[in-house]
Amino acid sequence: MRNPKVSASNLTYWRASQSRRPEVMSSDVSFSLSLPTADPLLTITHSQPDIWIIELHGGQDSRLTTRMIDEALRPALDVVEHNWCAMRDKQANVGADEGGGALIIIGRRDQDKFFSNGFDYETVKGNSTFFNETANPLFARLLTYPIPTIAAINGHAFAAGMMLSLACDYRVMTDGSRRRAWMCMNEIHFGARWPLSFTAILNAKVGSPIIRRRVALEGHRFTPSEALKAGIVDRLADLTGSRVESGTEKVLEEAMKLANEVKKLASRGVWSAINACLYKDCLDILYSDDRAHRISLNREAKL
């Protein structure tokens, strides 16, 4: 599995967006870009100089299909990194001691039921290269991203949706006071074996063996308060007194607060290198032979 880099096609997306949206791209601060260009599955926004937001909006539950990962999420990460590097270079040229940044990933913002409902079984079954060529490169990219990443969990995060959030550096979750929200690895309940990459990420991000047992072997549905107590998420967004339809914006608001707190940690350019050391064992497994990552499913199993 190769280390993803900024591709010419992804930069073309970004440059094309500037010509299509002159009113948005008139400053260095704001832009909006949807990927893929045909039938988009996510949108990147950059309304603050050093904070980027990726909104997943593929269907109502933002399933992590092959197309979502290969044609939307991974290219979006390339675009954000390129934009951040360009910002750092410009600041360095004028002697500014800045260069920080942060990335927020959130489920579709017009609902508060799902962050992501995981892989789409129909696009994964029978695809022996899915993990090595699609899923694992995404997880590895997030684990070693050059700026802090924050999962803004605005609803349920099931299976690979939970793994996506764990691959991020921080997690902010709705408090569930207006609508139920769970984090859950439910494979045990429908008879699906875990790929080794899932185990590696869980071991790297959740320290307690008891909590790991509840996640993997019991398929426990963690409520927001349980996830916070277990150390799976870092903070909850307080939705008390807010309208149901504004719940996702409250989660994003809390994620923005956290992003502003941690964005300077990337300013010296070593965030990725330290994470690569911190998660070396996990990354070694993600880069391992594809046979370690294949999943076995019974006839009733769905991801």
Side-chain angles (χ1 to χ4, degrees):
M1 183 179 69
R2 63 184 183 277
N3 191 24
K5 296 181 179 179
V6 179
S7 69
S9 61
N10 296 337
L11 296 187
T12 299
Y13 291 148
W14 181 66
R15 290 167 182 151
S17 73
Q18 299 185 49
S19 61
R20 288 196 307 270
R21 305 169 186 265
E23 74 286 357
V24 176
M25 295 299 299
S26 59
S27 74
D28 292 333
V29 175
S30 297
F31 76 82
S32 177
L33 172 63
S34 296
L35 294 175
T37 51
D39 191 19
L41 299 174
L42 62 76
T43 298
I44 310 166
T45 53
H46 184 211
S47 58
Q48 186 172 319
D50 40 18
I51 296 176
W52 291 260
I53 300 168
I54 294 177
E55 176 194 356
L56 309 177
H57 50 71
Q60 288 300 311
D61 57 356
S62 298
R63 292 270 183 172
L64 299 176
T65 63
T66 302
R67 184 169 180 263
M68 167 67 92
I69 296 173
D70 288 343
E71 299 182 34
L73 260 173
R74 291 171 66 191
L77 294 175
D78 290 347
V79 170
V80 171
E81 180 175 2
H82 178 268
N83 195 237
W84 173 69
C85 289
M87 181 194 73
R88 289 190 76 212
D89 290 345
K90 184 174 181 179
Q91 290 173 339
N93 289 337
V94 298
D97 187 21
E98 295 292 338
L103 168 65
I104 297 168
I105 300 176
I106 190 167
R108 64 182 304 147
R109 291 169 63 174
D110 62 357
Q111 55 85 53
D112 61 355
K113 184 176 182 180
F114 287 103
F115 167 70
S116 173
N117 205 15
F119 294 140
D120 180 355
Y121 172 64
E122 293 303 318
T123 68
V124 173
K125 67 178 183 180
N127 185 350
S128 62
T129 64
F130 175 78
F131 282 95
N132 253 42
E133 296 184 3
T134 297
N136 291 353
L138 171 65
F139 296 142
R141 184 88 161 97
L142 285 169
L143 286 167
T144 57
Y145 207 60
I147 58 177
T149 54
I150 301 167
I153 305 168
N154 56 321
H156 299 312
F158 278 97
M162 180 172 175
M163 281 292 147
L164 176 67
S165 73
L166 288 177
C168 294
D169 296 304
Y170 300 94
R171 282 151 295 284
V172 174
M173 190 175 186
T174 172
D175 67 1
S177 61
R178 293 294 181 178
R179 185 170 191 165
R180 292 185 302 181
W182 295 313
M183 296 188 75
C184 177
M185 299 298 295
N186 57 348
E187 290 82 359
I188 190 72
H189 297 306
F190 58 78
R193 292 176 59 185
W194 275 32
L196 190 56
S197 51
F198 279 16
T199 308
I201 294 170
L202 183 67
N203 288 341
K205 291 301 184 93
V206 178
S208 166
I210 294 174
I211 299 301
R212 293 200 297 260
R213 182 181 66 201
R214 294 193 78 192
V215 170
L217 296 178
E218 299 174 15
H220 181 71
R221 291 184 172 187
F222 287 83
T223 65
S225 59
E226 289 176 330
L228 181 66
K229 183 177 180 181
I232 298 172
V233 302
D234 298 283
R235 60 179 68 175
L236 303 181
D238 184 4
L239 271 60
T240 304
S242 63
R243 294 174 297 129
V244 174
E245 57 269 27
S246 65
T248 286
E249 294 310 305
K250 287 288 188 180
V251 176
L252 182 57
E253 181 182 311
E254 191 65 35
M256 289 289 288
K257 290 179 184 177
L258 178 56
N260 278 299
E261 293 171 16
V262 301
K263 63 186 183 182
K264 288 187 177 180
L265 297 173
S267 62
R268 299 304 179 187
V270 295
W271 184 267
S272 175
I274 291 175
N275 263 340
C277 293
L278 187 63
Y279 300 122
K280 180 182 182 302
D281 291 344
C282 178
L283 291 165
D284 286 346
I285 291 173
L286 289 175
Y287 291 128
S288 66
D289 187 276
D290 69 330
R291 288 174 296 180
H293 304 293
R294 294 178 185 174
I295 50 177
S296 298
L297 300 166
N298 63 29
R299 287 182 298 175
E300 293 76 33
K302 293 182 180 180
L303 282 176

